[in-house]
Amino acid sequence: MVGYDPEAKCVSTVEAAAAGSASGLVTRVLVSPLDVIKIRFQFMAFESLTKLVHNVTSYNARDSFVHFVCGGLAACTATVAVQPVDTLRTRFAAQGEPKVYRNLRHAVVTMYQTEGPRTFYRGLTPTIIAIFPYAGLQFSSYNILQQFFEWVIPAEGKKGGNVKNLVCGSCAGIISKTLTYPFDLFKKRLQVGGFEHARAAFGQVRIYRGLLDCVRQIMREEGPGGFFKGLSPSLLKAAVSTGLVFFWYELFCSLLCTLKNTDSTMRKEC
């Protein structure tokens, strides 16, 4: 199960990182070939934080609140590490014709020379504000759904654990994405700031002076529904990607445990 479990001392921090990397790689190959590094940091950090909570506090590492806090902190750490890459990805996706950036190197050099190093962290504030509850809700919702599943289905009748992990992960992704979607919208709107000339081909261009100004303009010009533009495809992606991440992570952790137990048994027999 995701998170440090003192009763199942099977997967080390390094192995958790390996499982997180493998699950991120497989998921992104299937859904989107991006964010592999972020997922690698996030699962490794989450496992380390829940283990730390178990060792130095009186809290239960399996508690949903602990999963919420540790999941949020892990995601913030990973997000700060990869924010420049995310900004570059958003710029490439947002530019119209003719292309402003010829390639990655040209984009990095141009942005640095014309806008300064801080431009690579545009939208970081709403990103951090959003990612903490988003990731926290992912992990805590997944934990709650897993516990609910175990409560509904008696232990002796449990089958299809992999399907359970996939369903619980998908539902956790939908819940977390829906509740935090407006901040994801704010982040993307701010990341393309200072880039308005390349967006002219798409129609109206909006300029925001910061997070609060972005919120005010969207509310005034687009109404409450503006905060949830593009939610439907995002929910679909969140359901598939989150479900697959948890599915593959649990599967790889189980495989690592099986391999270690098999190796230990063989050594004892010898």
Side-chain angles (χ1 to χ4, degrees):
M1 191 171 180
V2 173
Y4 178 68
D5 187 352
E7 297 179 2
K9 299 175 181 178
C10 192
V11 180
S12 68
T13 301
V14 175
E15 290 168 337
S21 299
S23 67
L25 180 62
V26 174
T27 299
R28 294 306 170 181
V29 166
L30 295 174
V31 180
S32 174
L34 299 168
D35 297 337
V36 177
I37 297 176
K38 184 187 292 186
I39 291 175
R40 177 184 301 173
F41 282 138
Q42 186 169 313
F43 274 115
M44 180 175 67
F46 179 75
E47 297 291 338
S48 299
L49 286 169
T50 51
K51 184 177 181 178
L52 181 65
V53 168
H54 174 77
N55 291 333
V56 303
T57 74
S58 59
Y59 290 99
N60 182 355
R62 309 303 305 167
D63 187 76
S64 296
F65 176 74
V66 171
H67 277 216
F68 177 83
V69 174
C70 290
L73 290 174
C76 287
T77 303
T79 297
V80 171
V82 302
Q83 178 70 10
V85 177
D86 191 45
T87 300
L88 286 165
R89 179 179 64 178
T90 302
R91 287 288 184 98
F92 273 110
Q95 66 179 342
E97 294 290 347
K99 300 293 184 184
V100 176
Y101 307 126
R102 297 189 299 272
N103 50 49
L104 181 60
R105 181 180 179 279
H106 182 245
V108 172
V109 172
T110 302
M111 290 170 64
Y112 183 84
Q113 291 178 342
T114 60
E115 302 173 62
R118 293 182 61 182
T119 192
F120 296 104
Y121 286 90
R122 278 182 180 270
L124 181 61
T125 300
T127 302
I128 292 296
I129 294 173
I131 200 63
F132 186 96
Y134 176 64
L137 284 167
Q138 269 190 348
F139 284 101
S140 59
S141 297
Y142 182 76
N143 186 34
I144 291 170
L145 290 167
Q146 287 274 17
Q147 292 177 6
F148 177 75
F149 194 96
E150 293 171 2
W151 177 71
V152 170
I153 300 179
E156 63 272 15
K158 286 181 183 176
K159 287 184 180 179
N162 290 332
V163 175
K164 176 194 71 172
N165 296 335
L166 182 62
V167 172
C168 290
S170 297
C171 292
I174 291 172
I175 293 169
S176 57
K177 176 59 74 173
T178 301
L179 294 177
T180 61
Y181 184 77
F183 286 100
D184 191 47
L185 181 78
F186 303 151
K187 177 194 76 171
K188 288 182 170 57
R189 293 281 183 100
L190 290 171
Q191 280 181 330
V192 296
F195 191 56
E196 290 78 13
H197 60 287
R199 302 274 300 157
F202 293 106
Q204 183 178 2
V205 175
R206 295 182 176 86
I207 300 175
Y208 304 113
R209 294 188 297 274
L211 176 58
L212 293 179
D213 183 54
C214 179
V215 175
R216 282 194 293 265
Q217 284 198 48
I218 292 174
M219 185 64 186
R220 183 175 64 248
E221 299 173 11
E222 304 170 57
F227 297 128
F228 293 91
K229 282 188 173 180
L231 177 61
S232 297
S234 292
L235 286 183
L236 179 60
K237 180 183 177 182
V240 175
S241 62
T242 307
L244 287 173
V245 163
F246 282 115
F247 168 81
W248 287 112
Y249 181 72
E250 298 270 23
L251 182 61
F252 286 127
C253 283
S254 297
L255 289 174
L256 285 171
C257 284
T258 301
L259 290 172
K260 289 175 70 175
N261 290 336
T262 301
D263 183 59
S264 178
T265 302
M266 290 178 67
R267 287 181 179 179
K268 288 179 180 179
E269 290 178 351
C270 293

